[in-house]
Amino acid sequence: MTGWEIENPGENLLSVNDKNLKAFMKAYPLSALSPDGTKLLIIRKYHPTLNCSPDDPNNLSDSYRICLAYYTISTYFFFELPRNYHYNMLSVRYDQDIQDIAITISSREMTRVTNIKELFLKLESYAPKTEVEKEAAFESLNNEVPPQKKRVPITQTEVSSAIIGVLKNADFDDWWVSEPQKIDFLDNVEMNFTITDYNPNEDENFMDEADETIRNFLSKTLKDREATTAPVYQNCMDFLDAIGYDEADQHLWDIKDPQEIWNYVTPREIYVTREPYEDKGVYLRLTFSCEWEQEHGLQLVFNKSGKLVRVNEDDGHILGWQGHGMIGD
């Protein structure tokens, strides 16, 4: 087994006692489920640059990364582990001392106990690390909890935007959804805006920045969409080149005018959120289903001033790891 046998692990977490997930975990010792069944961890090999297995038939690679994947029902992250260890066991337990799950990562060389907060602090994958740096970070894991600012409870059930009106509390206490809005950029398709990871009792400047971001996006027209065609078309061509020729993709290979690429995408969601790891700015993610990348889809990321800054598969992140998908000046 490779650890990639479960196609959409987050979806498996939605079902209590999912039979496929239980069978996978029984057969694959480098996987573990939190006691409450809401968090899944898997150690597995990754393609050196893509978010898939190096054994993926469409993206075969002789080199690879070792990563610890972390899934919840709605999110997915991965942490790069050093390659020089022979990992043989992964387990999770609730730790009363840290009030969170403790994660035990075992290898023939050493065993380390850690937690999600410590992993984000020491092994987050947004800034590339050398193998030496990854080894040092892994060896330093000791299940310590980084100092955390106490979270202020969210008491509101709605928030207000000067641009798109009232947004109501959604599936999570820090998610907020608007009424449908006409999007000129998409030829007047109506879509909801979803603000994510926003606590109105903590981030006082967020709505002002979000309104600026939304206003600049809503001012865009079909002409502006035409100006974004080149990187979208290039994303398609790069993906087709990476997976190799498939007769089923012939209609995409046959595109003569790059503007035709918009015939093969379907708008999905609009998210507005603050980037949590690097510049901490507010960004808008416009996501699509697309015919060439049917698993992950496509996303366009706009900054506060309305500039397109990233075009890539919908990986759920704002800024690109190692510059992946970023648009240069």
Side-chain angles (χ1 to χ4, degrees):
M1 296 184 70
T2 65
W4 290 92
E5 287 74 15
I6 295 288
E7 187 171 341
N8 295 302
E11 294 181 7
N12 292 87
L13 294 174
L14 288 168
S15 174
V16 178
N17 296 320
D18 183 277
K19 292 181 179 179
N20 291 331
L21 181 57
K22 290 177 71 174
F24 166 75
M25 296 186 62
K26 186 175 181 180
Y28 192 69
L30 294 179
S31 63
L33 188 66
S34 64
D36 63 2
T38 64
K39 302 175 183 69
L40 173 67
L41 295 105
I42 309 171
I43 295 176
R44 60 195 180 191
K45 292 181 179 179
Y46 275 68
H47 187 281
T49 57
L50 301 177
N51 185 16
C52 66
S53 167
D55 299 322
D56 187 311
N58 296 320
N59 301 283
L60 287 172
S61 174
D62 293 330
S63 58
Y64 61 88
R65 295 171 286 155
I66 294 286
C67 299
L68 171 64
Y70 169 61
Y71 288 94
T72 70
I73 291 171
S74 62
T75 59
Y76 163 54
F77 298 96
F78 59 86
F79 308 95
E80 289 201 28
L81 302 176
R83 286 178 47 178
N84 293 334
Y85 299 118
H86 299 83
Y87 302 99
N88 51 29
M89 187 63 68
L90 182 66
S91 63
V92 172
R93 61 178 173 82
Y94 183 76
D95 187 328
Q96 184 68 37
D97 292 335
I98 65 171
Q99 297 289 296
D100 201 350
I101 58 171
I103 304 159
T104 301
I105 304 172
S106 298
S107 70
R108 282 190 296 187
E109 293 78 12
M110 67 178 66
T111 295
R112 287 292 178 268
V113 180
T114 185
N115 57 72
I116 294 299
K117 295 183 179 70
E118 186 180 41
L119 286 169
F120 270 113
L121 179 69
K122 297 181 178 181
L123 279 170
E124 53 82 14
S125 300
Y126 301 99
K129 295 179 176 62
T130 66
E131 283 300 312
V132 171
E133 290 172 328
K134 282 185 273 190
E135 288 180 12
F138 181 73
E139 292 174 11
S140 73
L141 297 176
N142 60 7
N143 200 30
E144 64 182 343
V145 179
Q148 298 286 317
K149 185 176 76 171
K150 188 174 181 180
R151 190 172 186 265
V152 179
I154 295 175
T155 55
Q156 297 87 337
T157 58
E158 59 185 38
V159 296
S160 182
S161 160
I163 309 301
I164 56 175
V166 171
L167 296 92
K168 295 187 177 180
N169 198 226
D171 298 333
F172 308 99
D173 65 348
D174 56 359
W175 283 41
W176 316 86
V177 179
S178 76
E179 293 296 319
Q181 311 287 321
K182 284 188 177 180
I183 311 298
D184 288 349
F185 184 81
L186 299 172
D187 199 15
N188 289 324
V189 169
E190 290 194 354
M191 298 182 68
N192 305 91
F193 284 76
T194 300
I195 287 175
T196 68
D197 306 313
Y198 168 50
N199 184 336
N201 299 324
E202 289 183 335
D203 194 341
E204 296 179 359
N205 298 321
F206 179 85
M207 283 310 303
D208 288 339
E209 295 180 61
D211 278 344
E212 182 179 352
T213 307
I214 293 167
R215 180 175 60 249
N216 285 324
F217 175 71
L218 287 176
S219 71
K220 294 183 178 298
T221 66
L222 278 174
K223 280 285 186 184
D224 295 296
R225 192 182 77 174
E226 291 174 9
T228 69
T229 296
V232 174
Y233 174 76
Q234 191 61 49
N235 177 271
C236 174
M237 293 299 107
D238 288 346
F239 183 82
L240 295 180
D241 283 335
I243 66 174
Y245 178 75
D246 185 327
E247 186 177 354
D249 295 324
Q250 186 62 52
H251 62 296
L252 296 171
W253 288 107
D254 288 342
I255 291 175
K256 304 300 181 186
D257 179 358
Q259 292 293 339
E260 295 176 27
I261 199 66
W262 296 106
N263 297 328
Y264 304 104
V265 302
T266 303
R268 197 161 55 191
E269 303 283 351
I270 299 175
Y271 298 103
V272 179
T273 193
R274 189 177 293 285
E275 197 283 318
Y277 303 107
E278 298 183 40
D279 70 1
K280 310 296 175 65
V282 173
Y283 290 83
L284 182 146
R285 290 198 307 116
L286 173 60
T287 71
F288 300 84
S289 301
C290 64
E291 290 198 20
W292 59 93
E293 228 295 22
Q294 296 182 19
E295 181 179 357
H296 298 105
L298 173 76
Q299 72 169 1
L300 276 61
V301 180
F302 298 88
N303 67 11
K304 190 166 60 176
S305 64
K307 181 180 183 294
L308 180 68
V309 297
R310 190 179 185 214
V311 175
N312 64 296
E313 73 278 4
D314 180 13
D315 60 4
H317 301 308
I318 295 171
L319 302 181
W321 183 82
Q322 292 188 333
H324 175 55
M326 298 300 291
I327 307 295
D329 294 328

